Amino acid sequence: MAFPTTSALTSPSKTILSRTINSSSTSFISSLPKNSIIPCYQRRSFSSSFSETSIVTLRRRGGATLKTHKGVTCSASSTLPSALLFDCDGVLVDTEKDGHRISFNDTFAEMELGVTWDVDLYGELLKIGGGKERMTAYFNKTSWPEKAPTGNEERKKFIASLHKRKTELFMVLIEKKLLPLRPGVAKLIDQAFAKGVKVAVCSTSNDKAVSAIVSCLLGPERAEKITIFAGDVVPLKKPDPAIYLLAASTLGVEPSSCVVVEDSGIGLVAAKAAGMKCIITKSGYTSDEDFSNADAVFDCIGDPPEERFDFAFCTSLLERQFVS
């Protein structure tokens, strides 16, 4: 079943990838389009200290010469991000397949709606931002359950009631800590706090569900410092940039000074449309999405010794200055 999708913003003249350099790098680079620029980060010692971070920049210009500059390190940026903004589902916790999907299905079963969302179908539905919007699009596409009302306003209330119950069931999973934080999340947040940088979570999910994740899994001390923007706080969900623009406005920072950590195509579109830097940490449902417009792409944030990036890397995105 096909559902509406939103194409990610693309940048045909510039491709940015994160990849460890190995013996196959030359053949990989030669297959790329002309004028591609690829910063590749060797995790020899990817720590908060720029001097210990080895960066190799490979440039392909005019389809001919490949130049490799080894032993390059990030300059210590004098400009910290004003805010570090996280998506929730798929970024803080890989919640979708075994969290939200299960909670939706349990809600449908309780209401005897005769509806089940399997893994593949839910992956398609995730291209629609927001749980209420997701259910509405699904029922509009297939057919509304017999128990559903017929009027538009009554259907909105019906969807809201389903979503309320789904959120309650989802929060039970979180409170029981059946879904763990993704690697590196707590580390990156603590590094931002240590630098005095504001941290927020910006999500299309219900605000109670997001608050439960932040409080239960990150702990009350971190939760007190994190601002949450979620659910219906804005009229338009991602890929619209409204939630990120609201976060910047509320926190009193410029969008261009914010770094976003996302996991999906619609989240990437929202962040870039807001004028922010965006790092992608792929999740279970988003591994094959097009992230060509992202500022960097990783499989996760990661904790040592499997760390992929840290707060120093987030800072470097604002200036993109590399010195030998």
Side-chain angles (χ1 to χ4, degrees), residues 214-255:
V214 172
S215 179
C216 294
L217 301 184
L218 285 168
E221 291 186 6
R222 292 189 185 97
E224 287 180 359
K225 304 175 186 177
I226 296 174
T227 308
I228 293 174
F229 302 90
D232 298 324
V233 69
V234 289
L236 296 175
K237 304 291 178 69
K238 301 172 188 177
D240 192 276
I243 196 163
Y244 284 122
L245 293 174
L246 174 65
S249 175
T250 303
L251 296 174
V253 299
E254 289 295 324

Side-chain angles (χ1 to χ4, degrees), residues 157-234:
K157 293 178 181 178
F158 175 71
I159 289 291
S161 67
L162 291 178
H163 197 258
K164 180 176 182 293
R165 178 55 179 157
K166 173 260 170 185
T167 299
E168 292 171 350
L169 295 175
F170 177 76
M171 288 175 66
V172 171
L173 296 177
I174 297 301
E175 289 165 1
K176 291 182 177 180
K177 297 187 177 180
L178 297 177
L179 300 170
L181 284 174
R182 294 191 69 192
V185 168
K187 171 211 71 178
L188 187 59
I189 289 174
D190 288 344
Q191 289 174 344
F193 285 152
K195 295 292 185 179
V197 172
K198 298 175 182 178
V199 176
V201 175
C202 303
S203 173
T204 61
S205 290
N206 180 277
D207 58 343
K208 290 182 179 179
V210 176
S211 296
I213 288 174
V214 172
S215 179
C216 294
L217 301 184
L218 285 168
E221 291 186 6
R222 292 189 185 97
E224 287 180 359
K225 304 175 186 177
I226 296 174
T227 308
I228 293 174
F229 302 90
D232 298 324
V233 69
V234 289

Side-chain angles (χ1 to χ4, degrees), residues 47-118:
S47 70
S48 298
S49 171
F50 284 107
S51 63
E52 296 179 4
T53 303
S54 175
I55 299 177
V56 178
T57 302
L58 303 178
R59 300 175 183 269
R60 186 183 185 215
R61 300 211 178 270
T65 305
L66 290 172
K67 296 181 180 179
T68 305
H69 306 282
K70 295 184 178 181
V72 183
T73 58
C74 290
S75 62
S77 170
S78 60
T79 305
L80 291 171
S82 297
L84 186 60
L85 309 179
F86 291 84
D87 177 39
C88 181
D89 298 301
V91 173
L92 302 184
V93 187
D94 208 343
T95 53
E96 298 294 5
K97 180 171 72 73
D98 297 320
H100 288 295
R101 185 183 68 88
I102 298 300
S103 301
F104 275 117
N105 285 338
D106 287 347
T107 300
F108 298 153
E110 281 187 5
M111 295 294 292
E112 299 180 343
L113 301 184
V115 174
T116 301
W117 288 349
D118 63 27

Side-chain angles (χ1 to χ4, degrees), residues 288-300:
D288 295 327
E289 291 191 27
D290 177 14
F291 297 123
S292 58
N293 197 49
D295 293 283
V297 178
F298 298 91
D299 57 349
C300 66

